[in-house]
Amino acid sequence: MRLILITGMSGSGKSVALAALEDAGYYCIDNLPPRFLLELVAFLSHEGQTRLGVAIDARSARSLDEMPAIIRALSEHHDVRLLFLNSSTQSLIKRFSETRRKHPLSISMDNNTLNSTQASLADAIKHERKLVENLVEFGHQIDTSSLHANTLRAWVKQFIQYDQSGLALMFQSFGFKRGIPLDADLVFDVRILPNPYYNRELRLLTGLDQPVIDFLTAISLVGAMIDDIAEYLVKWLPHFRNDNRAYLTIAIGCTGGQHRSVYIAETLAARFVRDANVLVRHRDIASAVFASISS
């Protein structure tokens, strides 16, 4: 069975991700307590189900500690992938405020007994981070802080389609003005390079457009930056592999995430496509196109 587990912070887009799995033909269940996973997978496997998506969040706080052992047990017989959705505290507070929804942990727990003390939203988010932080290392993390719903849907579909054997390299472009991605393992700042934005003919284009590609390709400093980043990765990739990493996210940042970072992420991805499973994402390239995540 292909089993996709979706977890992470409440308000980070788990319902959007689960809907994307459902659209892709997965049998989906929301908010399943982890202790029932083994039973559920065994039953559905017997019934002939081959694709299952399960969302697990802080409402299952009492059994979250069991997740690592459950994931290991399931991985012995099934293709198990964990997708961890994260978001900045500021973004989460804004989303809960806009939707007027209560955070699952807004009512505090005291000695496993529910009491009437209402925790502040910021405190609830802080507590939830502690509950789920141990799950990050088991899967692929996506920072949805400034991500749009349609972009997240596309990234989830990309996540379930690629070959998971071996180390997966994720080259992600971003703009510093929207913050550094929480899911980045390595961050390279390319803002010192000449910016196509100041060329009026290139301003409204992106690093995927040929005029911008031609502009940046002609600058020797850009090529030197790409060579240096590639050399660093070539040197240290074997060590990341030896650390049994499944995913490595290399974030390339420029000012707005539209030109330089996009071009460099694409160029680096093309260089390493023969050495690893390579994915490319551009966090801010379509920032004005899609409606933002609200759940």
Side-chain angles (χ1 to χ4, degrees):
M1 175 182 286
R2 166 72 65 79
L3 171 61
I4 306 293
L5 301 175
I6 300 174
T7 188
M9 299 299 295
S10 298
S12 60
K14 289 192 293 295
S15 62
V16 174
L18 199 65
L21 289 183
E22 195 166 32
D23 291 343
Y26 281 72
Y27 184 94
C28 294
I29 298 176
D30 190 16
N31 190 30
L32 180 76
R35 62 186 59 180
F36 297 121
L37 262 174
L38 292 171
E39 249 181 278
L40 175 67
V41 171
F43 172 75
L44 291 179
S45 294
H46 180 72
E47 293 293 308
Q49 184 62 242
T50 59
R51 291 188 288 183
L52 172 64
V54 178
I56 295 170
D57 59 30
R59 288 172 289 182
S60 301
R62 295 183 181 181
S63 56
L64 281 178
D65 289 342
E66 302 171 21
M67 278 288 289
I70 292 171
I71 292 172
R72 293 189 186 98
L74 287 170
S75 297
E76 293 180 3
H77 305 286
H78 304 280
D79 177 6
V80 181
R81 305 184 184 191
L82 187 140
L83 182 62
F84 188 100
L85 301 183
N86 203 350
S87 192
S88 68
T89 298
Q90 183 179 3
S91 296
L92 294 175
I93 289 176
K94 181 180 178 182
R95 290 171 189 169
F96 277 105
S97 298
E98 289 176 346
T99 59
R100 297 184 179 181
R101 292 173 53 199
K102 290 185 178 180
H103 189 281
L105 299 183
S106 60
I107 299 178
S108 63
M109 301 291 290
D110 183 17
N111 295 325
N112 295 326
T113 302
L114 198 64
N115 61 41
S116 60
T117 303
Q118 295 290 326
S120 73
L121 180 54
D123 288 341
I125 292 171
K126 182 179 180 180
H127 180 48
E128 184 179 31
R129 287 198 191 281
K130 292 182 179 180
L131 290 175
V132 300
E133 63 183 358
N134 292 334
L135 299 178
V136 178
E137 64 182 278
F138 288 93
H140 177 56
Q141 184 180 181
I142 294 179
D143 176 12
T144 70
S145 301
S146 57
L147 210 59
H148 302 280
N150 283 2
T151 304
L152 178 57
R153 291 187 191 99
W155 287 12
V156 170
K157 291 178 181 178
Q158 185 187 52
F159 170 74
I160 64 178
Q161 288 172 355
Y162 79 90
D163 181 5
Q164 196 181 5
S165 60
L167 177 67
L169 291 184
M170 171 66 67
F171 291 96
Q172 178 172 268
S173 69
F174 73 95
F176 275 95
K177 69 179 183 180
R178 292 179 179 271
I180 298 175
L182 298 175
D183 51 358
D185 295 304
L186 300 172
V187 177
F188 294 95
D189 184 350
V190 301
R191 288 176 292 183
I192 61 171
L193 301 176
N195 192 350
Y197 176 84
Y198 296 108
N199 184 318
R200 290 185 178 181
E201 296 179 357
L202 304 178
R203 181 171 297 181
L204 298 181
L205 302 178
T206 75
L208 298 176
D209 294 310
Q210 196 60 47
V212 175
I213 294 172
D214 293 339
F215 175 88
L216 293 172
T217 302
I219 300 173
S220 60
L221 195 62
V222 175
M225 174 72 80
I226 294 172
D227 289 341
D228 286 346
I229 296 175
E231 184 178 349
Y232 177 89
L233 293 176
V234 167
K235 178 179 179 179
W236 292 105
L237 270 181
H239 299 279
F240 284 112
R241 286 195 177 96
N242 291 339
D243 194 40
N244 294 320
R245 292 241 186 169
Y247 312 93
L248 182 67
T249 299
I250 301 100
I252 311 295
C254 61
T255 304
Q258 302 288 323
H259 299 99
R260 295 164 291 180
S261 61
V262 172
Y263 167 75
I264 291 175
E266 289 283 343
T267 304
L268 287 169
R271 288 198 184 189
F272 285 90
V273 71
R274 295 183 179 179
D275 301 311
N277 298 320
V278 171
L279 296 172
V280 186
R281 290 177 181 162
H282 305 299
R283 190 190 72 180
D284 299 326
I285 198 171
S287 58
V289 177
F290 300 125
S292 61
I293 294 169
S294 61
S295 62

